[in-house]
Amino acid sequence: EVQLVETGGGLVQPGKSLKLTCATSGFTFSNAWMHWVRQSPEKQLEWVAQIKAKSNNYATYYAESVKGRFTISRDDSKSSVYLQMNSLKEEDTAIYYCTPYNWAYWGQGVMVTVSS
Amino acid sequence: DIQMTQSPSSMSASLGDRVTITCQASQDIGNNLIWFQQKPGKSPRPMIYYATNLANGVPSRFSGSRSGSDYSLTISSLESEDMADYHCLQYKQYPLTFGSGTKLEIK
């Protein structure tokens, strides 16, 4: 059974940092390209970032809204993908999901609230 | 960036109705589009891959089609369990972009 569990969310002040973790199981993680997607309180979905596999040199891609502030990474030995979020803004408030390349499996999401 | 213009933003339909939701792409995306269903409090679920291919386990009343730059999700005969939000996603080009979503309610 495929499982994805996102952790690391919470309430943080603007300008601060947070690191999300997505722990996975049930599929061959090392071959899988992974995405982070977020959903605003207004229910709008936004693609955030992608990381490819080792065979693709772990290439990364970002939405313009997070480029330079967020960093996606992975640890194949732990079947986990991460999202380091720096210089957080109120507009980063959302539920953050991880999902693999085929979009077939999603975690339950983790809430990030940026507010003073 | 490729803009995905989704319509309508919300709609109400009766059980048994035929329902169509559309996403218009601002640039050519080929058939690189996925339709998702999202029920309240749940994560998105892919319904249609590559514009027209039904995902595993999705009822056959759902279908996807393309006409030029317009991509449609159709429910041939609406059932109560279809009440949900629907989103399209283009993955032809970075940044990947979602439509603005459609809230489907049952009359």
Side-chain angles (χ1 to χ4, degrees), chain A residues 39 44-45 50 97 102-103 106-107, chain B residues 38 43-44 46 49 94 99-100:
Chain A
Q39 187 164 37
Q44 173 68 50
L45 288 170
Q50 180 192 40
Y97 297 97
N102 61 2
W103 306 89
W106 295 63
Chain B
Q38 187 178 24
S43 303
Y49 283 102
Y94 296 106
S100 54

Side-chain angles (χ1 to χ4, degrees), chain A:
Chain A
E1 180 192 5
V2 173
Q3 287 193 321
L4 300 100
V5 179
E6 301 96 341
T7 57
L11 173 63
V12 63
Q13 292 178 327
K16 300 295 188 182
S17 298
L18 211 55
K19 186 174 184 177
L20 305 183
T21 297
C22 171
T24 78
S25 61
F27 64 99
T28 306
F29 180 83
S30 58
N31 293 340
W33 301 358
M34 295 296 297
H35 300 274
W36 283 98
V37 173
R38 66 186 181 184
Q39 187 164 37
S40 69
E42 295 75 29
K43 305 301 184 186
Q44 173 68 50
L45 288 170
E46 181 184 16
W47 171 80
V48 173
Q50 180 192 40
I51 186 166
K52 292 189 175 180
K54 182 178 180 180
S55 58
N56 307 106
N57 298 315
Y58 299 122
T60 58
Y61 305 85
Y62 296 93
E64 201 61 41
S65 59
V66 306
K67 199 175 290 184
R69 299 188 299 122
F70 289 13
T71 301
I72 187 171
S73 61
R74 62 191 294 158
D75 184 338
D76 291 345
S77 69
K78 296 182 178 179
S79 297
S80 294
V81 61
Y82 308 96
L83 188 67
Q84 176 68 47
M85 304 185 294
N86 299 332
S87 304
L88 281 161
K89 305 175 181 180
E90 291 191 350
E91 50 265 41
D92 295 319
T93 294
I95 299 172
Y96 285 73
Y97 297 97
C98 63
T99 180
Y101 67 97
N102 61 2
W103 306 89
Y105 308 104
W106 295 63
Q108 82 288 351
V110 62
M111 186 70 208
V112 172
T113 304
V114 184
S115 175
S116 54

Side-chain angles (χ1 to χ4, degrees), chain B residues 2-104:
Chain B
I2 297 175
Q3 310 301 321
M4 301 301 296
T5 302
Q6 186 169 345
S7 61
S9 57
S10 65
M11 66 179 300
S12 180
S14 299
L15 298 179
D17 281 355
R18 182 181 182 87
V19 168
T20 297
I21 298 166
T22 299
C23 276
Q24 183 179 69
S26 64
Q27 300 175 37
D28 176 47
I29 61 169
N31 276 0
N32 295 292
L33 181 125
I34 300 173
W35 285 102
F36 293 93
Q37 178 191 68
Q38 187 178 24
K39 295 187 176 181
K42 300 294 186 182
S43 303
R45 170 196 179 190
M47 305 295 281
I48 303 286
Y49 283 102
Y50 205 59
T52 61
N53 297 329
L54 214 59
N56 288 340
V58 173
S60 58
R61 64 181 180 275
F62 287 87
S63 64
S65 62
R66 173 189 177 185
S67 176
S69 63
D70 291 339
Y71 297 80
S72 296
L73 172 71
T74 298
I75 307 172
S76 60
S77 181
L78 192 65
E79 297 194 8
S80 56
E81 65 186 34
D82 302 333
M83 183 183 73
D85 294 337
Y86 292 85
H87 309 269
C88 65
L89 165 73
Q90 72 78 20
Y91 58 95
K92 170 67 173 179
Q93 181 183 114
Y94 296 106
L96 309 189
T97 45
F98 285 90
S100 54
T102 295
K103 186 176 185 66
L104 175 58

